[in-house]
Amino acid sequence: MKELAFLSFAVCALASSVASAADLPSRKLAPPLPVVAVDDYQPFQIRLRATALIPDGSFTIFDRYGIVPAATGIVSGAPGGKIFGAGVDVSNSVIPEIDLSYYFNKNFAVETIAGYTRHKLTATGPLANIPVGSTNLLPVSLLAQYHVTNLGAFQPYIGVGVTWAVPYAYGPGNGWTPLVTALGFTGFNSVRDLQIGQSVGVAGQIGFDYMITPNIGINVDLKRIMAQPTAYATIYNTALNQNIYVRVQSNLDPWLASVGATFRFGGASPAPVLAKY
């Protein structure tokens, strides 16, 4: 009897404990916080580079008013006629260059570059070795770029845009060079005046950054600019004892090969996560 009474008491106590536990408020675990992806790209970029500008185009020279006689064999004699085989050699130049970029996201950016170059101009063909003059050239470019960023530190890109080529501080050569034609020695030539116009053309580029840190890298870049300025020159010839007015149609189309340093900044750093206990 004592065992049966004790068993009944234990069952009643257990039932009472279960009922009491059911009356307590439940304590559920808080749901995990959502994972927020942080885009850690740096939106602003500056590059400092050394750039070699290498002209790679062609030039055509025209006798605007038909001053040169056809008997020389280098022109047709008609106003506006071409001086056969005449052209211009433009010297290469190495310059410091700075460019600024803004990244809309990791892959798409816009870049502007500026720098100035100094070039010597020398006539070729039947006008060979006439010192035409010299000029500074300011090529201002604006390019849209696509960057590949899933290759780690190596980040290649391509770009396309426009370039405004602005010549300035140009002047004539003023040297004296003998002119030899079908008539034999035909006096000395000297360029007495030079005017060079501006041009707007398409620009394309390929290149890559190798990022040493998220903010500092090495850059290698190659651009091609379609620059086609028109120039006008006045050449004095001693045999004719008068000026020859010429127009120079150019396809300057230079290559710009650059190497330098990349600096990126302005990106937001992810906030630290604090554990709660």
Side-chain angles (χ1 to χ4, degrees):
M1 282 301 283
K2 290 182 178 181
E3 289 80 358
L4 182 58
F6 177 79
L7 182 59
S8 299
F9 174 78
V11 171
C12 290
L14 180 60
S16 177
S17 299
V18 172
S20 298
D23 293 336
L24 293 176
S26 61
R27 300 182 62 185
K28 296 181 180 179
L29 294 177
L33 295 175
V35 177
V36 179
V38 177
D39 200 351
D40 59 354
Y41 75 97
Q42 307 292 320
F44 298 101
Q45 177 177 276
I46 296 176
R47 289 195 184 102
L48 302 176
R49 297 187 287 213
T51 296
L53 191 147
I54 306 168
D56 185 35
S58 61
F59 296 81
T60 306
I61 302 179
F62 302 89
D63 180 0
R64 296 171 64 190
Y65 304 119
I67 301 297
V68 180
T72 61
I74 63 173
V75 294
S76 65
K82 182 188 297 187
I83 300 179
F84 305 133
V88 177
D89 179 72
V90 181
S91 65
N92 300 335
S93 181
V94 178
I95 61 166
E97 179 211 312
I98 183 171
D99 78 58
L100 306 175
S101 299
Y102 178 77
Y103 285 74
F104 299 101
N105 56 40
K106 282 186 175 182
N107 300 108
F108 291 96
V110 62
E111 175 189 74
T112 180
I113 68 169
Y116 82 95
T117 63
R118 183 72 178 170
H119 301 276
K120 290 180 61 178
L121 313 175
T122 306
T124 61
L127 305 179
N129 299 320
I130 296 178
V132 176
S134 58
T135 183
N136 288 348
L137 185 65
L138 176 65
V140 180
S141 299
L142 182 66
L143 301 111
Q145 299 174 327
Y146 178 79
H147 294 252
V148 178
T149 58
N150 59 354
L151 301 176
F154 178 68
Q155 300 179 6
Y157 59 86
I158 59 173
V160 64
V162 295
T163 292
W164 178 30
V166 184
Y168 68 98
Y170 44 78
N174 291 317
W176 294 95
T177 304
L179 175 65
V180 178
T181 68
L183 300 177
F185 172 70
T186 317
F188 290 92
N189 285 337
S190 178
V191 177
R192 315 306 291 174
D193 184 60
L194 177 66
Q195 303 291 326
I196 305 175
Q198 302 177 9
S199 73
V200 177
V202 176
Q205 73 176 157
I206 59 172
F208 68 86
D209 291 298
Y210 187 86
M211 301 307 296
I212 301 170
T213 74
N215 302 95
I216 299 175
I218 298 171
N219 176 255
V220 176
D221 185 271
L222 182 65
K223 295 183 183 70
R224 183 74 185 275
I225 295 174
M226 304 292 109
Q228 300 178 347
T230 298
Y232 297 91
T234 302
I235 304 173
Y236 177 75
N237 179 267
T238 57
L240 298 175
N241 193 28
Q242 63 178 315
N243 290 326
I244 303 167
Y245 300 94
V246 301
R247 176 174 64 88
V248 182
Q249 181 61 52
S250 68
N251 294 307
L252 189 60
D253 301 346
W255 293 95
L256 281 75
S258 306
V259 62
T262 296
F263 304 94
R264 295 177 180 171
F265 58 94
S269 300
V273 177
L274 302 178
K276 293 184 179 180
Y277 300 96

